[in-house]
Amino acid sequence: MTDTPADDLKPSFRSDVTVELVKHSAADSDVLWAARVSTAGEQSLEELTKDPERSKGLINYLMRDRHGSPFEHNSMTFFISAPIFVFREFMRHRVGWSYNEESGRYRELQPVFYVPGEDRKLVQQGRPGKYEFVAGTEAQQELVERSMQQSYIQAYEQYQEMLAAGVAREVARAVLPVGLFSSMYATCNARSLMHFLGLRTQHELARVPSFPQREIEMVGEKMEAAWAELMPLTYAAFNANGRVAP
Protein backbone atom coordinates (compact mmCIF):
# COMPACT_ATOMS: atom_id res chain seq x y z
CA MET A 1 0.00 0.00 0.00
CA THR A 2 1.22 3.50 -0.82
CA ASP A 3 1.44 5.96 2.06
CA THR A 4 -0.82 8.98 1.89
CA PRO A 5 1.38 11.98 1.05
CA ALA A 6 1.63 14.82 3.53
CA ASP A 7 -0.37 17.91 2.60
CA ASP A 8 1.92 20.40 4.35
CA LEU A 9 5.17 19.55 2.53
CA LYS A 10 6.41 22.71 0.86
CA PRO A 11 9.54 22.85 -1.31
CA SER A 12 12.61 24.40 0.29
CA PHE A 13 15.82 25.45 -1.39
CA ARG A 14 19.44 25.36 -0.29
CA SER A 15 22.84 26.09 -1.81
CA ASP A 16 25.05 24.19 0.64
CA VAL A 17 25.78 20.51 1.33
CA THR A 18 25.98 18.43 4.52
CA VAL A 19 29.00 16.26 5.30
CA GLU A 20 29.40 14.64 8.72
CA LEU A 21 32.03 12.15 9.81
CA VAL A 22 29.89 9.67 11.74
CA LYS A 23 32.38 6.86 12.40
CA HIS A 24 36.08 6.25 11.89
CA SER A 25 39.03 4.06 12.62
CA ALA A 26 41.82 6.08 11.08
CA ALA A 27 45.19 7.26 12.34
CA ASP A 28 48.69 7.80 10.98
CA SER A 29 49.87 4.83 13.03
CA ASP A 30 47.68 2.58 10.86
CA VAL A 31 49.97 3.35 7.93
CA LEU A 32 53.11 2.57 9.91
CA TRP A 33 52.26 -0.87 11.27
CA ALA A 34 50.89 -1.89 7.87
CA ALA A 35 54.10 -0.80 6.16
CA ARG A 36 56.54 -2.21 8.72
CA VAL A 37 55.16 -5.73 8.63
CA SER A 38 57.09 -6.08 5.37
CA THR A 39 60.41 -5.92 7.21
CA ALA A 40 59.57 -6.43 10.89
CA GLY A 41 56.96 -9.16 10.80
CA GLU A 42 55.50 -9.77 14.26
CA GLN A 43 57.56 -6.93 15.71
CA SER A 44 55.47 -4.51 13.65
CA LEU A 45 52.81 -4.86 16.37
CA GLU A 46 54.94 -2.49 18.44
CA GLU A 47 53.94 0.31 16.08
CA LEU A 48 50.37 0.16 17.40
CA THR A 49 51.35 2.06 20.54
CA LYS A 50 54.25 4.20 19.29
CA ASP A 51 54.06 7.88 18.44
CA PRO A 52 53.73 8.12 14.64
CA GLU A 53 55.42 11.54 14.65
CA ARG A 54 58.83 9.84 14.90
CA SER A 55 58.14 8.00 11.64
CA LYS A 56 56.65 10.72 9.48
CA GLY A 57 59.59 10.26 7.11
CA LEU A 58 58.37 6.75 6.37
CA ILE A 59 54.88 8.05 5.59
CA ASN A 60 56.34 10.60 3.22
CA TYR A 61 58.49 7.92 1.56
CA LEU A 62 55.48 5.67 1.04
CA MET A 63 53.52 8.56 -0.46
CA ARG A 64 56.38 9.78 -2.65
CA ASP A 65 57.24 6.37 -4.08
CA ARG A 66 53.58 5.37 -4.31
CA HIS A 67 53.54 2.36 -2.02
CA GLY A 68 49.80 2.59 -1.64
CA SER A 69 48.48 -0.43 0.26
CA PRO A 70 49.53 0.73 3.77
CA PHE A 71 47.13 3.65 3.36
CA GLU A 72 44.17 1.26 3.04
CA HIS A 73 44.18 -0.07 6.63
CA ASN A 74 41.75 2.48 8.02
CA SER A 75 38.12 3.44 7.60
CA MET A 76 35.97 6.57 7.56
CA THR A 77 32.18 6.73 7.21
CA PHE A 78 30.55 10.00 6.18
CA PHE A 79 26.91 11.03 6.12
CA ILE A 80 26.36 13.20 3.07
CA SER A 81 23.33 15.20 1.98
CA ALA A 82 23.68 16.73 -1.49
CA PRO A 83 21.86 17.01 -4.83
CA ILE A 84 21.31 13.77 -6.72
CA PHE A 85 23.59 14.90 -9.56
CA VAL A 86 26.47 15.00 -7.05
CA PHE A 87 25.81 11.38 -6.11
CA ARG A 88 25.79 10.33 -9.76
CA GLU A 89 29.37 11.63 -10.00
CA PHE A 90 30.25 10.03 -6.67
CA MET A 91 29.30 6.59 -7.94
CA ARG A 92 32.11 6.73 -10.48
CA HIS A 93 34.45 6.18 -7.53
CA ARG A 94 34.08 2.45 -6.94
CA VAL A 95 37.39 1.06 -5.69
CA GLY A 96 37.69 1.36 -1.92
CA TRP A 97 34.21 2.88 -1.48
CA SER A 98 30.90 1.59 -0.12
CA TYR A 99 27.59 3.45 -0.47
CA ASN A 100 24.06 3.27 0.88
CA GLU A 101 21.66 5.95 -0.36
CA GLU A 102 18.09 6.74 0.64
CA SER A 103 15.53 5.10 -1.62
CA GLY A 104 12.67 6.74 -3.47
CA ARG A 105 11.06 3.31 -3.65
CA TYR A 106 10.70 2.95 0.09
CA ARG A 107 10.09 6.46 1.37
CA GLU A 108 8.37 9.62 0.24
CA LEU A 109 11.12 11.94 -0.95
CA GLN A 110 11.31 15.28 0.81
CA PRO A 111 11.00 18.52 -1.21
CA VAL A 112 14.49 19.94 -0.64
CA PHE A 113 16.13 21.25 -3.81
CA TYR A 114 19.43 22.76 -4.86
CA VAL A 115 19.68 26.35 -6.10
CA PRO A 116 23.19 27.78 -6.62
CA GLY A 117 24.24 30.51 -4.24
CA GLU A 118 25.41 33.92 -5.38
CA ASP A 119 29.05 32.84 -5.15
CA ARG A 120 28.51 29.94 -7.61
CA LYS A 121 30.09 30.83 -10.98
CA LEU A 122 27.47 30.32 -13.70
CA VAL A 123 29.16 30.89 -17.06
CA GLN A 124 31.55 28.47 -18.75
CA GLN A 125 34.15 29.95 -21.09
CA GLY A 126 36.57 28.13 -23.38
CA ARG A 127 36.59 24.79 -25.12
CA PRO A 128 36.36 21.36 -23.49
CA GLY A 129 39.60 20.47 -21.75
CA LYS A 130 40.58 24.12 -21.48
CA TYR A 131 37.81 26.15 -19.94
CA GLU A 132 36.99 28.18 -16.88
CA PHE A 133 33.91 29.36 -15.06
CA VAL A 134 33.21 33.02 -14.41
CA ALA A 135 30.58 34.82 -12.39
CA GLY A 136 27.21 35.36 -14.00
CA THR A 137 25.31 38.61 -14.20
CA GLU A 138 22.55 39.56 -11.82
CA ALA A 139 20.06 38.76 -14.58
CA GLN A 140 21.53 35.29 -15.06
CA GLN A 141 21.48 34.65 -11.32
CA GLU A 142 17.85 35.71 -11.14
CA LEU A 143 16.97 33.54 -14.14
CA VAL A 144 18.65 30.47 -12.66
CA GLU A 145 16.97 30.91 -9.30
CA ARG A 146 13.51 31.57 -10.74
CA SER A 147 13.66 28.83 -13.37
CA MET A 148 14.90 26.19 -10.95
CA GLN A 149 12.40 27.02 -8.24
CA GLN A 150 9.45 27.04 -10.63
CA SER A 151 10.53 23.74 -12.16
CA TYR A 152 11.07 22.14 -8.76
CA ILE A 153 7.69 23.28 -7.43
CA GLN A 154 5.83 21.98 -10.48
CA ALA A 155 7.67 18.64 -10.44
CA TYR A 156 6.98 18.08 -6.75
CA GLU A 157 3.31 18.98 -7.16
CA GLN A 158 3.03 16.33 -9.88
CA TYR A 159 4.85 13.85 -7.66
CA GLN A 160 2.42 14.52 -4.80
CA GLU A 161 -0.58 14.27 -7.12
CA MET A 162 0.48 10.83 -8.29
CA LEU A 163 1.09 9.62 -4.75
CA ALA A 164 -2.34 10.89 -3.69
CA ALA A 165 -3.87 8.94 -6.58
CA GLY A 166 -2.26 5.73 -5.34
CA VAL A 167 0.64 5.57 -7.79
CA ALA A 168 3.64 3.69 -6.38
CA ARG A 169 6.52 5.79 -5.10
CA GLU A 170 8.96 4.05 -7.42
CA VAL A 171 6.89 5.21 -10.41
CA ALA A 172 6.00 8.71 -9.21
CA ARG A 173 9.60 9.62 -8.42
CA ALA A 174 10.44 9.64 -12.14
CA VAL A 175 9.21 13.24 -12.44
CA LEU A 176 11.65 14.55 -9.84
CA PRO A 177 14.80 16.34 -11.03
CA VAL A 178 18.45 15.66 -10.21
CA GLY A 179 18.52 18.90 -8.20
CA LEU A 180 16.58 17.08 -5.47
CA PHE A 181 18.61 16.48 -2.31
CA SER A 182 19.35 12.89 -1.39
CA SER A 183 21.37 11.44 1.48
CA MET A 184 23.78 8.57 1.83
CA TYR A 185 26.48 6.98 3.91
CA ALA A 186 29.83 6.70 2.15
CA THR A 187 32.66 4.63 3.61
CA CYS A 188 36.22 4.82 2.34
CA ASN A 189 39.86 4.49 3.36
CA ALA A 190 42.58 7.13 3.10
CA ARG A 191 43.90 5.83 -0.22
CA SER A 192 40.50 5.88 -1.90
CA LEU A 193 39.74 9.30 -0.41
CA MET A 194 43.03 10.70 -1.73
CA HIS A 195 42.14 9.47 -5.21
CA PHE A 196 38.74 11.14 -4.88
CA LEU A 197 40.27 14.43 -3.71
CA GLY A 198 42.82 14.39 -6.52
CA LEU A 199 39.99 14.36 -9.06
CA ARG A 200 37.22 16.27 -7.30
CA THR A 201 39.04 19.27 -5.82
CA GLN A 202 41.18 22.03 -7.23
CA HIS A 203 44.26 22.86 -5.19
CA GLU A 204 47.36 24.97 -5.71
CA LEU A 205 49.60 22.07 -4.64
CA ALA A 206 48.10 19.57 -7.08
CA ARG A 207 50.61 18.17 -9.55
CA VAL A 208 47.84 17.10 -11.92
CA PRO A 209 45.15 19.71 -12.66
CA SER A 210 41.53 18.82 -12.04
CA PHE A 211 38.30 20.48 -13.15
CA PRO A 212 35.55 19.25 -10.81
CA GLN A 213 32.00 20.48 -10.75
CA ARG A 214 31.76 22.91 -7.88
CA GLU A 215 29.02 21.05 -6.01
CA ILE A 216 30.97 17.80 -5.64
CA GLU A 217 34.05 19.85 -4.76
CA MET A 218 32.07 21.35 -1.88
CA VAL A 219 31.53 17.83 -0.56
CA GLY A 220 35.19 16.95 -1.12
CA GLU A 221 36.41 19.98 0.79
CA LYS A 222 34.37 19.03 3.86
CA MET A 223 35.55 15.41 3.73
CA GLU A 224 39.14 16.58 3.35
CA ALA A 225 38.90 18.81 6.42
CA ALA A 226 37.69 15.91 8.57
CA TRP A 227 40.35 13.52 7.26
CA ALA A 228 43.14 16.08 7.82
CA GLU A 229 42.38 16.07 11.54
CA LEU A 230 42.42 12.27 11.78
CA MET A 231 45.64 11.64 9.85
CA PRO A 232 47.67 14.89 9.84
CA LEU A 233 50.99 13.29 8.84
CA THR A 234 49.42 11.39 5.95
CA TYR A 235 47.56 14.52 4.90
CA ALA A 236 50.77 16.59 4.94
CA ALA A 237 52.56 13.97 2.83
CA PHE A 238 49.66 13.95 0.36
CA ASN A 239 49.99 17.70 -0.15
CA ALA A 240 53.80 17.64 -0.19
CA ASN A 241 53.78 15.09 -3.00
CA GLY A 242 51.42 16.82 -5.38
CA ARG A 243 48.10 15.47 -4.08
CA VAL A 244 48.46 12.29 -6.12
CA ALA A 245 47.05 9.15 -4.50
CA PRO A 246 49.73 6.49 -3.94
Side-chain angles (χ1 to χ4, degrees):
M1 175 179 291
T2 303
D3 294 340
T4 302
D7 295 329
D8 58 349
L9 287 178
K10 301 296 183 183
S12 61
F13 312 102
R14 54 183 294 194
S15 59
D16 62 334
V17 296
T18 299
V19 177
E20 295 184 15
L21 179 67
V22 297
K23 186 177 68 172
H24 69 86
S25 175
D28 290 316
S29 58
D30 298 333
V31 181
L32 297 175
W33 54 254
R36 286 213 161 96
V37 73
S38 297
T39 56
E42 187 174 350
Q43 292 179 345
S44 63
L45 290 171
E46 297 176 6
E47 298 297 332
L48 294 172
T49 57
K50 289 183 178 179
D51 180 7
E53 184 71 28
R54 66 180 182 81
S55 298
K56 62 182 178 181
L58 174 57
I59 292 177
N60 189 72
Y61 159 74
L62 295 169
M63 190 78 68
R64 185 194 68 209
D65 286 15
R66 306 193 71 182
H67 296 287
S69 59
F71 296 99
E72 297 176 5
H73 294 271
N74 54 82
S75 178
M76 293 164 279
T77 298
F78 296 90
F79 174 81
I80 302 169
S81 180
I84 288 175
F85 65 81
V86 169
F87 289 177
R88 298 297 80 81
E89 289 193 334
F90 237 113
M91 301 306 175
R92 297 181 65 84
H93 298 269
R94 299 180 296 278
V95 178
W97 288 87
S98 298
Y99 303 105
N100 277 92
E101 183 181 355
E102 70 174 284
S103 173
R105 297 184 66 194
Y106 303 123
R107 74 182 301 249
E108 181 178 342
L109 298 173
Q110 302 302 294
V112 181
F113 298 95
Y114 176 75
V115 175
E118 294 183 359
D119 59 340
R120 207 306 187 184
K121 297 177 180 179
L122 299 177
V123 179
Q124 180 178 326
Q125 294 181 341
R127 63 182 186 274
K130 190 178 182 181
Y131 59 85
E132 63 177 353
F133 283 85
V134 298
T137 64
E138 289 186 10
Q140 288 171 323
Q141 183 70 38
E142 189 278 332
L143 174 63
V144 167
E145 182 174 338
R146 172 170 47 83
S147 299
M148 286 188 173
Q149 290 187 4
Q150 289 177 352
S151 177
Y152 293 150
I153 291 170
Q154 181 180 11
Y156 200 75
E157 287 177 348
Q158 297 300 313
Y159 174 67
Q160 288 281 294
E161 183 177 351
M162 284 189 280
L163 293 183
V167 176
R169 289 182 292 267
E170 66 181 51
V171 176
R173 64 177 175 170
V175 299
L176 296 173
V178 294
L180 180 77
F181 269 71
S182 186
S183 60
M184 72 172 178
Y185 289 101
T187 299
C188 62
N189 58 58
R191 190 183 192 185
S192 55
L193 180 58
M194 285 186 278
H195 182 261
F196 176 88
L197 295 175
L199 292 173
R200 301 301 182 180
T201 61
Q202 287 185 319
H203 198 283
E204 60 183 3
L205 297 177
R207 185 185 308 157
V208 180
S210 181
F211 304 94
Q213 183 161 340
R214 178 55 189 153
E215 287 75 16
I216 197 169
E217 184 178 37
M218 290 160 58
V219 173
E221 288 171 348
K222 290 177 178 290
M223 296 175 76
E224 180 172 343
W227 170 56
E229 293 187 8
L230 297 177
M231 303 178 71
L233 300 181
T234 303
Y235 179 64
F238 175 58
N239 283 322
N241 289 278
R243 293 175 66 88
V244 176

